[in-house]
Amino acid sequence: MAENLQRSISDEKGGAAAHETKVPPEELQKVKEIVDALTKAIKISKIYPSSNPIYQKFINELLKEKYDSYITEYGNLKLRLAQSKLIYNGAEVYDNPDRLENIALKLYTDGIREITFHEGLDNSELLSFLDALNTNLDPEKTDDDMVTLLWEKNLQHITYFVIEEAAAEGEGSAAEDLAKRAPLSGFVKAGEMDTPKKRHLEAESGMPVTEEKPKQQPAPELPVYSVYTLTEDEIEQLKREKEAEENPVFTFKIIDILYEILYMERDFNAFSEVVDTLEKAIDLLISRADLVRAGRLLKNLHEISGAREKFSDEELNRVIRAIDRAGDAVRIKELGDMLNKNQAIDINALTSYLSLLNKNSAIPMLELLEIDNRNIRRIVCDVITGLVKDDIDLLGRKISDKRWYIVRNIVYVLGRVNNTKSIEHLKRALKYDEPRVRIEGIKSLASIGGETAKDLILTALNDKDGQVRIHAVRSLASLNHKKAVEPLMIYINQEAFKKADFTEKKEFFEAIGKLGANEALPFLKGILTKRTWLFKRTSQDELRACAAFGLGKAGTNDALNLLQAVKEKPGSIVETARLKAISEIKKLQVKQ
Amino acid sequence: MPEGSEKKSSFLQIENLARTGRTLVNQFYIILKTAQVHDPNNVAFLHTMDNLIKTLTPVLTKENEALLLLKGDYLYFEDTRLKQDIEGFVSFNYVIAELKKRGIGSIIFKAGLDQKDLRKFIHIFLNLTAAKGAVFEALEIQLDDAGIKGVDIDKIKHKKEDASFTEAQGAKEIAKKSYFNAVAVTKEIMGNARLNQTVNIKKAKRAVQSIVDIILHEEISILGLTSIKNYDEYTYNHCVNVCILAIALGQRLGFSKTHLSDLGMAALFHDIGKIAIPIEVLHKPLEFTDEEWALIRRHPVGGVTTMLKMKGLNEAAIKTMIVAFEHHQNFDHTGYPKVTNKSPLTLYSRIVSIADCYDAMTSSRVYNKTPFPPDKALSLMWDRAGRYYDPLVMKVFVNMLGVYPIGTLVILDTREMGLVYQSNPSLEKIDRPKVILITDVGGKDRNVKLITDLSETDTATGKYKRSIVRAEDPRKFNIDVAEYYL
């Protein structure tokens, strides 16, 4: 509690020194121990949170062993401040050459000249006091000084005497001067009355110009007290409103106000300043994971950027810059940090917010693909798809990124854009080191379609990775790329194919069957009916079984007849495949 | 701290005591109300008593006694003054009135308090019949006869009937110092902002914190200073007056100390946008031209942009900006500036709007030397509550100022003339404020100014000693109201 209201400055200037007496050594020792413990507590509080047991123990010891022992014997502890020193009854009990760490100086600088610790001080209050001393009072960052901060701590057992800044600097008399001349200088005597000016009245009091004047029409008397008694419901309503405004969220109303001001403000500097603030507001909202408000604000800025008739080019450009800024690399990184920290993100709000960013944000947004949450990555891809649809090259250039998981998503987006311009970039994706990127490239090419894309997929049949080849052959089959039949046959006849695993072989034969139909039958029949010597039989039987699957996919009567004509040993791999293929054709025929 | 109390309380204990005290007053109020409806064995009545005993048990276990004290117009629990906010508005006033009616200055609850004792106490408290002037004594005898051990009472300690006017001078000096410091700081800040120089917000914050302290501890000493209407320095005095009125209103609404400080800052800077208006326009004695009027109407927007330059985006600064923008918008969304999104005005803005309007209406200006007398201004504002002003906040404002606000010149039925000094906290006696008597019954100036409470009754007749006949315009009598509050 500040005592500046209870004591005059003259008390301070002469008072303390006048009462200095010789302090008994044991008393002085106790004070020094308290001050030492206080300074140590401040250091500890910088390391540990107030809930830390070590810190709590230290505070307890300080209070119980040192402070209470002093208070019991000598009463309240009063310390005077002399710049960097703490003085107890004329004796110095503290000094610290390190100005940054000097607690006396911190208090002195803001006008505190004496501090008194009273009986009844407890842990929580002492911790509040220490917290204040540890607060960074950088004038660039806060409107507080030590006095305003201690006031907010509402300390009951630590009081302090403050000298006001003006008086301290010797300016001193501004307030006194006002006090002397204020009351009568403007007083109006009877007979000096004039007619109130309507606009003046409204400007000052809010009363509209049509308001009656007291002389012309006397004001109504106030009604009986029952009329202005608050009902229980009214009290509840006021309580709710008060509580709502004590919640910091209420301050977001300023965003709506600033938006309104943009429509009213015609001075460009002021306009720009408001936009600056809205930019900061977006940052703040993002850091608070308030994507709904951030999205609404961004939407408002878009509305302005579209209202060309209401704003100058200079103003419009300023607003567009603000939207661009929201999607720049720094802001997107902050968004990413926030998304990583918050598990419960409103996915719809995120989608809306991202969708409102400008095209320039597409590349920075790729960084969001680092986020663990799969849903978020999917949303980011969808949004990027929308942003780059008219500028594929913007994204295509990023295919050389070293992070395969980012490139895979880029490739996915290039496929989703569904633009043949993507094909050039996807061609590079098929050469990327990581097979998962090449697979995504095949999928994207398949989704774009067209002869060029199909031909590119065909090249992937020679990929060194089996999974890539499988995806390529599946894509070719699903694209019904008949030109692929011959290359597939050539591929199968290569010696290396025999070393491929069964799944891959099956995919190739099925693709041939599907794409080639009756034209592929001689090739498939040749393999199905080809028998070998015992020591090569397993490998050959795999090929024969795959040929049977291929005939199944051909799905024609000729294929069925061919399959039915073949006799195989029951239970063998070929027989199993043959029966499955026959069943598949019959099912197909029933459907048809 | 009340007289005679030497107990020391810790930081947290004070918070707890205040909370327990408020709960106790509310529960005592409920018991009194319930007892008038239900018989003593009714479950609802018994339940309310149980609640009160439960509330007191921790204190009684530790201290053996718990004291509910009435001192002046305030209730204390132990050594802690109970802040009367909007939640306790009805219950506090009721309990204070009931205690005063019986001449009770304190109720002492003792360890071992049980339902039986409490029930007997309530019964005697409510059903006592005694001659006027002897109520307390009769009550004391009956309580003794009933053998109640768990509750005791003490008599109210009256101050001298007509306290000397000089008694309050100490508190007033402190208030005056804070008031004029705040005016000087406001002038400095607005001056610097006008010249685009560095603005020291900390000074304003300190000034506002001082005002909050005074309002929380000695409200009347500074509320009276709002009758200082200095039109040479109108803007600065006005800002400080609005700040004081807003904080006082916020306190009634139960805002915490820190939020009162924020509200005070918002109120102090509500007109900061006027720094963009040339002085000659602000002080123009004639009607504004259209261009000037447009400039004037722009100051709420200017307030926001000025604050943006002065401060960052911290919470308190934002609240100030919101108030600067909204303080001329009416409750029904008329007023200025016109906005497209008609969301409800913030409570801060509604408070400041009322304080702003009241102070402006009661101030003389270069262009308007006939301000409204306080009671007339309040009357007009009351009539427009619901359209221009929030009707609920307006109610609280009237409750705070009384139907005869501070600074109102009143003629009494004794033919004395007085200036309203302090409103009556009891709603039922809202038309019976404390008054500074400035003339005697013969109409002569009093050499020693006296403060008298118009709710005082004559012990013999039971009638009020003095009553207000009518309010008068002080200018008619060449009376400078502000002089009496300095």
Side-chain angles (χ1 to χ4, degrees):
Chain A
M1 190 183 293
E3 289 184 84
N4 53 333
L5 299 176
Q6 281 92 46
R7 287 180 49 179
S8 68
I9 290 163
S10 58
D11 285 345
E12 161 59 22
K13 285 178 176 163
H19 293 98
E20 284 171 12
T21 50
K22 180 82 179 156
V23 186
E26 63 277 15
E27 183 180 340
L28 195 61
Q29 185 55 34
K30 284 198 171 184
V31 176
K32 281 183 175 171
E33 282 175 13
I34 292 171
V35 174
D36 280 351
L38 261 177
T39 51
K40 276 181 197 155
I42 291 166
K43 280 180 190 161
I44 295 173
S45 68
K46 285 178 182 166
I47 304 165
Y48 299 109
S50 57
S51 56
N52 183 281
I54 297 172
Y55 186 35
Q56 288 281 351
K57 187 167 171 261
F58 190 84
I59 294 292
N60 274 332
E61 283 170 4
L62 191 164
L63 284 170
K64 287 210 173 70
E65 291 171 16
K66 297 186 171 69
Y67 182 77
D68 287 352
S69 143
Y70 171 89
I71 292 279
T72 309
E73 202 166 340
Y74 306 105
N76 296 340
L77 172 60
K78 187 179 282 186
L79 297 169
R80 197 160 63 81
L81 289 106
Q83 289 211 330
S84 63
K85 294 172 182 158
L86 290 175
I87 311 287
Y88 176 75
N89 280 343
E92 181 183 317
V93 289
Y94 170 85
D95 194 2
N96 185 348
D98 184 346
R99 292 176 68 84
L100 290 175
E101 295 293 321
N102 190 312
I103 52 169
L105 193 63
K106 273 188 185 179
L107 298 164
Y108 186 90
T109 307
D110 286 330
I112 296 173
R113 295 291 180 267
E114 189 178 275
I115 188 153
T116 307
F117 298 88
H118 297 261
E119 186 182 351
L121 182 70
D122 63 14
N123 281 21
S124 59
E125 195 170 359
L126 183 57
L127 288 172
S128 282
F129 177 66
L130 296 175
D131 184 47
L133 285 174
N134 274 333
T135 304
N136 179 7
L137 293 172
D138 180 352
E140 293 297 314
K141 291 178 183 161
T142 176
D143 290 332
D144 277 309
D145 60 14
M146 196 50 76
V147 176
T148 59
L149 198 62
L150 288 174
W151 184 90
E152 281 174 6
K153 298 284 178 191
N154 199 18
L155 306 172
Q156 302 290 321
H157 299 91
I158 301 174
T159 57
Y160 41 93
F161 165 60
V162 184
I163 56 165
E164 288 303 331
E165 199 177 315
E169 289 165 2
E171 300 165 0
S173 59
E176 286 162 29
D177 183 45
L178 278 169
K180 278 178 197 154
R181 64 191 174 83
L184 295 170
S185 59
F187 189 70
V188 182
K189 304 282 190 248
E192 288 185 346
M193 304 167 190
D194 67 354
T195 311
K197 309 297 174 292
K198 289 174 180 178
R199 281 177 168 176
H200 278 291
L201 186 65
E202 185 176 350
E204 295 298 344
S205 68
M207 285 288 186
V209 291
T210 53
E211 217 53 73
E212 63 268 46
K213 296 161 201 161
K215 285 283 166 191
Q216 294 162 333
Q217 186 181 334
E221 295 304 321
L222 283 169
V224 290
Y225 76 89
S226 58
V227 176
Y228 39 80
T229 302
L230 287 154
T231 65
E232 292 292 336
D233 286 347
E234 288 172 340
I235 290 171
E236 264 310 301
Q237 187 184 330
L238 282 169
K239 189 181 155 199
R240 277 197 306 275
E241 290 188 13
K242 176 184 77 74
E243 283 167 358
E245 296 205 5
E246 283 175 348
N247 184 339
V249 169
F250 123 89
T251 56
F252 287 126
K253 183 170 190 185
I254 192 66
I255 294 170
D256 298 330
I257 289 176
L258 293 175
Y259 173 63
E260 295 276 356
I261 287 177
L262 288 179
Y263 281 89
M264 299 171 188
E265 185 59 74
R266 292 285 68 95
D267 171 61
F268 178 71
N269 288 334
F271 181 94
S272 185
E273 206 137 354
V274 172
V275 179
D276 285 347
T277 309
L278 289 175
E279 287 177 343
K280 286 178 202 156
I282 292 177
D283 297 347
L284 184 70
L285 291 168
I286 293 296
S287 69
R288 294 175 59 101
D290 191 344
L291 292 166
V292 173
R293 281 196 180 84
R296 203 171 67 209
L297 173 50
L298 212 48
K299 196 174 167 206
N300 288 342
L301 291 177
H302 273 285
E303 275 172 22
I304 291 176
S305 73
R308 300 205 153 268
E309 71 291 352
K310 288 183 183 161
F311 296 92
S312 68
D313 287 348
E314 196 179 26
E315 288 166 343
L316 289 170
N317 287 336
R318 179 66 194 87
V319 170
I320 290 165
R321 278 210 310 280
I323 302 170
D324 283 345
R325 180 188 177 275
D328 70 16
V330 176
R331 254 48 65 176
I332 293 290
K333 184 182 179 310
E334 281 164 5
L335 175 66
D337 292 344
M338 181 278 288
L339 292 172
N340 270 325
K341 278 183 217 152
N342 291 279
Q343 294 303 310
I345 284 291
D346 179 343
I347 293 292
N348 290 333
L350 176 65
T351 311
S352 302
Y353 178 77
L354 292 175
S355 306
L356 287 161
L357 295 173
N358 278 349
K359 197 170 71 178
N360 71 307
S361 63
I363 299 303
M365 219 183 273
L366 291 173
E367 300 303 315
L368 298 181
L369 297 170
E370 297 251 19
I371 290 168
D372 289 339
N373 187 321
R374 195 166 177 271
N375 285 338
I376 291 178
R377 291 203 308 270
R378 184 50 58 101
I379 284 165
V380 170
C381 285
D382 289 347
V383 172
I384 294 175
T385 304
L387 291 174
V388 300
K389 64 178 187 291
D390 299 322
D391 195 356
I392 301 289
D393 295 341
L394 193 69
L395 199 59
R397 285 192 285 273
K398 294 300 287 182
I399 278 188
S400 52
D401 196 294
K402 298 282 180 224
R403 294 163 298 175
W404 70 265
Y405 46 90
I406 301 284
V407 178
R408 184 169 71 167
N409 284 302
I410 293 171
V411 172
Y412 166 76
V413 170
L414 287 171
R416 291 210 55 203
V417 172
N418 207 8
N419 184 329
T420 49
K421 284 184 185 169
S422 296
I423 293 174
E424 258 322 288
H425 302 294
L426 291 172
K427 190 174 172 182
R428 284 164 52 219
L430 292 184
K431 290 173 183 159
Y432 200 89
D433 277 351
E434 169 61 41
R436 280 171 281 196
V437 171
R438 303 202 295 275
I439 289 170
E440 200 62 52
I442 289 164
K443 287 181 185 170
S444 288
L445 284 166
S447 88
I448 294 168
E451 290 307 305
T452 316
K454 290 174 189 171
D455 287 346
L456 266 176
I457 296 171
L458 211 48
T459 65
L461 291 177
N462 292 313
D463 196 283
K464 58 191 173 194
D465 186 272
Q467 285 301 314
V468 178
R469 294 193 299 268
I470 288 173
H471 276 90
V473 80
R474 274 186 196 156
S475 296
L476 291 167
S478 66
L479 288 166
N480 203 21
H481 191 44
K482 298 206 182 290
K483 262 170 69 181
V485 175
E486 199 178 326
L488 286 170
M489 288 176 180
I490 294 167
Y491 190 85
I492 286 171
N493 283 329
Q494 287 173 1
E495 196 56 33
F497 185 75
K498 288 175 183 155
K499 291 175 186 160
D501 67 40
F502 181 74
T503 313
E504 186 182 346
K505 286 175 185 160
K506 182 171 176 263
E507 293 282 351
F508 269 73
F509 277 98
E510 284 184 342
I512 288 172
K514 190 177 172 205
L515 296 172
N518 279 345
E519 286 168 29
L521 293 189
F523 175 78
L524 293 171
K525 184 187 171 190
I527 291 177
L528 178 64
T529 54
K530 185 176 178 184
R531 294 174 190 269
T532 56
W533 296 106
L534 187 61
F535 64 93
K536 283 186 177 174
R537 186 170 294 165
T538 309
S539 169
Q540 185 59 29
D541 280 356
E542 268 188 10
L543 287 176
R544 291 177 59 222
C546 290
F549 284 126
L551 286 164
K553 290 291 175 194
T556 60
N557 273 333
D558 290 349
L560 181 63
N561 294 336
L562 214 153
L563 283 163
Q564 285 172 336
V566 175
K567 299 283 180 215
E568 290 294 328
K569 188 176 168 187
S572 70
I573 183 174
V574 183
E575 180 63 1
T576 307
R578 188 183 72 87
L579 293 173
K580 275 187 184 168
I582 290 168
S583 161
E584 192 174 352
I585 294 171
K586 283 184 174 170
K587 273 183 198 164
L588 190 70
Q589 287 176 340
V590 169
K591 274 186 193 170
Q592 287 168 351
Chain B
M1 191 179 289
E3 290 160 25
S5 172
E6 290 176 357
K7 285 178 189 169
K8 297 282 177 189
S9 307
S10 80
F11 187 47
L12 287 179
Q13 278 171 341
I14 288 167
E15 296 290 315
N16 290 336
L17 282 174
R19 202 176 308 122
T20 307
R22 281 197 294 272
T23 309
L24 173 68
V25 174
N26 283 326
Q27 288 173 337
F28 189 56
Y29 162 74
I30 293 166
I31 288 178
L32 294 178
K33 284 287 183 186
T34 315
Q36 292 169 52
V37 181
H38 298 295
D39 72 65
N41 292 317
N42 179 282
V43 180
F45 180 54
L46 297 176
H47 182 65
T48 58
M49 287 198 294
D50 280 345
N51 284 343
L52 186 139
I53 292 167
K54 261 184 216 163
T55 301
L56 285 172
T57 301
V59 184
L60 294 177
T61 309
K62 204 174 166 193
E63 306 285 347
N64 283 323
E65 280 188 2
L67 178 75
L68 180 65
L69 175 77
L70 174 67
K71 194 182 171 209
D73 294 315
Y74 301 108
L75 285 170
Y76 289 77
F77 183 60
E78 296 291 280
D79 52 4
T80 303
R81 189 181 132 182
L82 304 178
K83 205 173 102 181
Q84 184 183 343
D85 58 20
I86 194 75
E87 276 181 81
F89 190 80
V90 176
S91 56
F92 272 60
N93 280 328
Y94 183 83
V95 169
I96 290 170
E98 292 299 308
L99 292 178
K100 278 187 175 175
K101 215 185 275 178
R102 292 163 180 79
I104 298 173
S106 57
I107 300 178
I108 305 111
F109 298 95
K110 297 180 173 177
L113 173 72
D114 58 16
Q115 213 185 64
K116 199 174 144 192
D117 267 358
L118 192 56
R119 189 166 48 182
K120 276 190 205 167
F121 174 77
I122 298 294
H123 180 74
I124 294 168
F125 186 93
L126 288 173
N127 298 300
L128 180 87
T129 48
K132 219 163 177 69
V135 180
F136 179 82
E137 287 71 18
L139 190 59
E140 204 172 29
I141 291 165
Q142 285 206 21
L143 292 174
D144 274 350
D145 291 348
I148 297 169
K149 303 279 181 216
V151 195
D152 202 356
I153 56 169
D154 207 350
K155 196 170 182 178
I156 202 161
K157 289 178 181 65
H158 283 294
K159 280 188 178 177
K160 275 197 293 180
E161 190 178 283
D162 283 341
S164 165
F165 182 65
T166 53
E167 268 186 20
Q169 287 301 315
K172 269 167 74 173
E173 281 307 313
I174 295 165
K176 257 169 69 178
K177 195 179 160 193
S178 288
Y179 182 89
F180 288 107
N181 178 49
V183 174
V185 166
T186 309
K187 190 176 178 182
E188 180 191 316
I189 288 176
M190 289 181 88
N192 286 353
R194 195 184 281 274
L195 298 170
N196 279 326
Q197 290 175 347
T198 313
V199 166
N200 191 342
I201 292 290
K202 286 169 197 163
K203 274 190 182 177
K205 205 165 178 181
R206 280 195 190 189
V208 168
Q209 288 179 349
S210 277
I211 292 172
V212 172
D213 277 337
I214 293 168
I215 284 176
L216 290 174
H217 297 102
E218 189 58 48
E219 177 183 274
I220 187 57
S221 60
I222 201 158
L223 218 45
L225 296 177
T226 59
S227 52
I228 298 172
K229 314 288 184 184
N230 176 4
Y231 74 58
D232 285 349
E233 304 279 4
Y234 169 78
T235 306
Y236 316 119
N237 277 68
H238 170 68
C239 288
V240 175
N241 289 347
V242 174
C243 171
I244 292 168
L245 290 168
I247 293 171
L249 194 46
Q251 194 234 339
R252 301 290 162 127
L253 290 166
F255 279 114
S256 68
K257 199 173 151 180
T258 313
H259 284 100
L260 286 178
S261 168
D262 288 351
L263 173 62
M265 287 291 279
L268 191 68
F269 291 117
H270 75 283
D271 267 345
I272 190 80
K274 285 189 176 170
I275 62 161
I277 304 171
I279 304 269
E280 54 276 18
V281 174
L282 278 178
H283 292 175
K284 187 180 174 186
L286 304 171
E287 186 66 289
F288 293 132
T289 63
D290 287 348
E291 292 74 26
E292 288 163 346
W293 181 223
L295 200 58
I296 292 283
R297 287 168 71 96
R298 205 195 157 279
H299 84 269
V301 172
V304 178
T305 49
T306 305
M307 288 303 296
L308 284 178
K309 278 184 207 154
M310 280 166 55
K311 301 182 83 179
L313 258 191
N314 66 55
E315 200 181 315
I318 290 171
K319 287 175 182 171
T320 305
M321 289 179 215
I322 293 173
V323 169
F325 185 77
E326 290 185 333
H327 75 280
H328 277 294
Q329 287 178 35
N330 297 326
F331 189 66
D332 63 358
H333 288 293
T334 56
Y336 65 92
K338 300 273 176 236
V339 291
T340 49
N341 177 16
K342 295 192 187 326
S343 61
L345 303 175
T346 63
L347 186 54
Y348 271 47
S349 299
R350 284 176 272 149
I351 290 170
V352 172
S353 166
I354 287 174
D356 180 34
C357 180
Y358 175 75
D359 188 68
M361 288 178 78
T362 52
S363 300
S364 57
R365 301 295 318 278
V366 176
Y367 51 80
N368 175 22
K369 291 174 183 170
T370 54
F372 289 85
D375 60 316
K376 298 293 178 203
L378 201 59
S379 244
L380 272 173
M381 289 175 69
W382 173 261
D383 197 41
R384 280 141 189 83
R387 283 188 289 153
Y388 301 154
Y389 316 108
D390 179 335
L392 301 191
V393 180
M394 194 64 214
K395 272 189 183 181
V396 182
F397 192 63
V398 175
N399 289 333
M400 179 177 93
L401 292 183
V403 291
Y404 298 104
I406 294 174
T408 307
L409 180 71
V410 289
I411 309 294
L412 306 178
D413 57 359
T414 53
R415 302 180 68 82
E416 292 164 302
M417 194 184 279
L419 277 169
V420 175
Y421 175 75
Q422 183 179 7
S423 64
N424 194 316
S426 166
L427 204 54
E428 290 174 26
K429 292 176 185 167
I430 200 163
D431 56 347
R432 299 200 160 272
K434 284 182 183 167
V435 166
I436 305 169
L437 294 175
I438 56 174
T439 67
D440 61 18
V441 291
K444 287 182 185 165
D445 273 356
R446 295 179 85 107
N447 290 331
V448 179
K449 305 290 183 279
L450 294 176
I451 299 171
T452 189
D453 186 344
L454 298 188
S455 65
E456 294 283 338
T457 51
D458 188 302
T459 43
T461 62
K463 289 183 177 169
Y464 288 114
K465 287 180 178 173
R466 295 177 178 88
S467 295
I468 293 172
V469 176
R470 65 178 186 278
E472 272 292 354
D473 187 341
R475 286 164 300 164
K476 224 165 103 179
F477 302 91
N478 274 347
I479 291 169
D480 180 5
V481 174
E483 189 181 287
Y484 292 88
Y485 299 95
L486 282 167

